[in-house]
Amino acid sequence: MYTQALNTAEADDRNVEDAARAAQFQARIDAEERIEPNDWMPAAYRKTLTRQISQHAHSEIVGMLPEGNWITRAPSLRRKAALLAKVQDECGHGLYLYAAAETLGTSREELVDAMLAGKAKYSSIFNYPTLTWADIGTIGWLVDGAAIMNQIPLCRCSYGPYARAMIRVCKEESFHQRQGYEIMLTLCRGSDEQKAMAQEALDRWWWPVLMMFGPPDAASQHSDVSTKWKIKRFSNDELRQKFVDATVPQAQYLGLAIPDPGMTQDADRHWRYSEIDWTEFKQVLAGNGPCNRDRIAARRKAHDDGAWVREAAAAYAAKRAHRQTAQAAE
């Protein structure tokens, strides 16, 4: 009886201590202080960040695939070099983000294994095919444009390593967006066939890009707590509306039609889009998109093909550590 009472008292003390720490943590968040890896943080904060940052990293890496498919088919040497540089940038973004996620206590190997096993998600947008060169322009213009809208607020994320990584990522994504828009501008100023190609690509990508921002706020599982902890600064619907308001004038300048006959502009000059069919979004997330299986298969093959590199690096590191230990002993 005495032991049980003692254990109960100790548990109560721990709960009081954790509650005090949580209150101090939230006070730091509210004061716009940055949380660093060695700082105390609630387990749920760590878990939420690990999920979001790893999903972001997976998206950058998988996002190389639809564009990499066009490197050898780019219409000129200039386009080929620019696209190659962009794909390399996306790889770098993934590495920055994996490094940020590792500061939360989960190894890169664990993060990658979860994605390859289908246990961790990446952005639904990368499960769509790139059928024409205009798709590369549309991805730069719309997909990277939507990414910028999402990611600029992350530069003020409460978690320091994530916020700092996003500063460079956003600078490079801004260049990617301008590159994509320039491709679309060239096509729209070209032949009738080229402009038709640009319109057809916009028609296919518009709605999946709007879905990129995530489900509507009423159906979002993570928005409230992420906003409380200042991981997110704007809701899914707010970011989606900001993107639409910025993009419609760009499409008008290109002479392209947004594939939404029901779109109207309200008294506040916001472009109000039609209801999104979230059935497609759910199907893609469930693994039934046009390219889900191809994307995961390509990543698994790349991972398997690179096993010898990881093994060689590990062997070299072990040999070097052994040599250093032996020299220290001498």
Side-chain angles (χ1 to χ4, degrees):
M1 182 71 71
Y2 172 78
T3 302
Q4 182 178 359
L6 184 61
N7 290 339
T8 301
E10 289 177 348
D12 290 342
D13 288 343
R14 284 195 298 270
N15 290 337
V16 170
E17 183 181 354
D18 287 346
R21 280 184 163 184
Q24 292 171 354
F25 174 83
Q26 189 60 49
R28 292 187 62 192
I29 297 289
D30 295 340
E32 298 289 346
E33 291 185 30
R34 285 276 169 81
I35 307 300
E36 299 297 340
N38 291 331
D39 293 340
W40 184 90
M41 63 188 77
Y45 179 82
R46 187 184 302 274
K47 182 178 179 181
T48 297
L49 274 168
T50 301
R51 175 192 58 78
Q52 179 170 328
I53 300 174
S54 65
Q55 181 175 318
H56 193 165
H58 300 330
S59 299
E60 297 285 357
I61 298 301
V62 176
M64 298 163 60
L65 297 173
E67 293 176 303
N69 188 40
W70 276 89
I71 290 175
T72 58
R73 296 183 286 165
S76 69
L77 181 60
R78 171 176 171 265
R79 297 294 189 193
K80 189 187 300 289
L83 183 57
L84 182 60
K86 182 186 177 185
V87 171
Q88 289 176 319
D89 283 348
E90 307 295 2
C91 180
H93 297 173
L95 297 181
Y96 305 152
L97 293 164
Y98 282 131
E102 284 183 304
T103 66
L104 292 160
T106 304
S107 71
R108 188 173 309 189
E109 289 75 17
E110 291 176 285
L111 298 172
V112 172
D113 287 346
M115 189 266 287
L116 296 177
K119 297 177 181 178
K121 292 181 171 59
Y122 55 87
S123 179
S124 61
I125 197 68
F126 299 118
N127 288 311
Y128 291 86
T130 45
L131 305 179
T132 70
W133 174 249
D135 287 31
I136 302 303
T138 305
I139 287 175
W141 172 35
L142 297 184
V143 176
D144 292 325
I148 292 168
M149 201 67 70
N150 260 318
Q151 293 170 6
I152 286 178
L154 291 174
C155 295
R156 296 187 292 126
C157 171
S158 61
Y159 188 59
Y162 193 20
R164 290 189 287 273
M166 292 314 303
I167 293 173
R168 179 167 179 174
V169 170
C170 286
K171 288 179 180 178
E172 293 178 351
E173 292 289 5
S174 179
F175 175 79
H176 299 165
Q177 196 270 347
R178 292 195 297 271
Q179 176 186 329
Y181 191 76
E182 195 266 340
I183 290 174
M184 298 299 282
L185 184 61
T186 300
L187 291 172
C188 289
R189 289 179 175 176
S191 65
D192 291 342
E193 290 81 4
Q194 287 173 319
K195 186 170 184 179
M197 183 193 299
Q199 181 65 61
E200 192 271 338
L202 172 59
D203 291 346
R204 283 186 288 108
W205 286 91
W206 177 253
W207 293 106
V209 168
L210 292 193
M211 296 175 197
M212 264 183 76
F213 292 93
D217 296 340
S220 179
Q221 298 179 19
H222 306 289
S223 287
D224 288 347
V225 69
S226 292
T227 301
K228 174 185 175 184
W229 285 328
K230 297 190 178 180
I231 297 170
K232 290 182 67 171
R233 297 279 177 164
F234 299 96
S235 72
N236 295 347
D237 287 336
E238 287 174 323
L239 290 170
R240 191 169 12 249
Q241 187 61 59
K242 284 166 66 74
F243 171 77
V244 171
D245 288 341
T247 304
V248 171
Q250 296 171 357
Q252 291 173 337
Y253 182 81
L254 291 172
L256 298 177
I258 298 293
D260 182 0
M263 178 176 282
T264 58
Q265 193 173 32
D266 65 18
D268 296 323
R269 303 191 66 77
H270 292 300
W271 289 96
R272 299 303 181 183
Y273 49 89
S274 300
E275 187 70 25
I276 297 173
D277 180 7
W278 291 105
T279 303
E280 178 182 342
F281 178 73
K282 293 174 183 176
Q283 282 295 310
V284 174
L285 283 187
N288 300 318
C291 297
N292 286 68
R293 293 173 181 80
D294 292 342
R295 300 291 184 244
I296 289 295
R299 288 308 309 147
R300 285 175 180 156
K301 182 178 185 304
H303 188 73
D304 292 343
D305 290 348
W308 70 272
V309 178
R310 297 190 297 275
E311 291 168 2
Y316 175 78
K319 186 175 181 180
R320 185 177 181 182
H322 178 74
R323 187 185 302 120
Q324 290 174 339
T325 300
Q327 289 174 346
E330 293 174 0

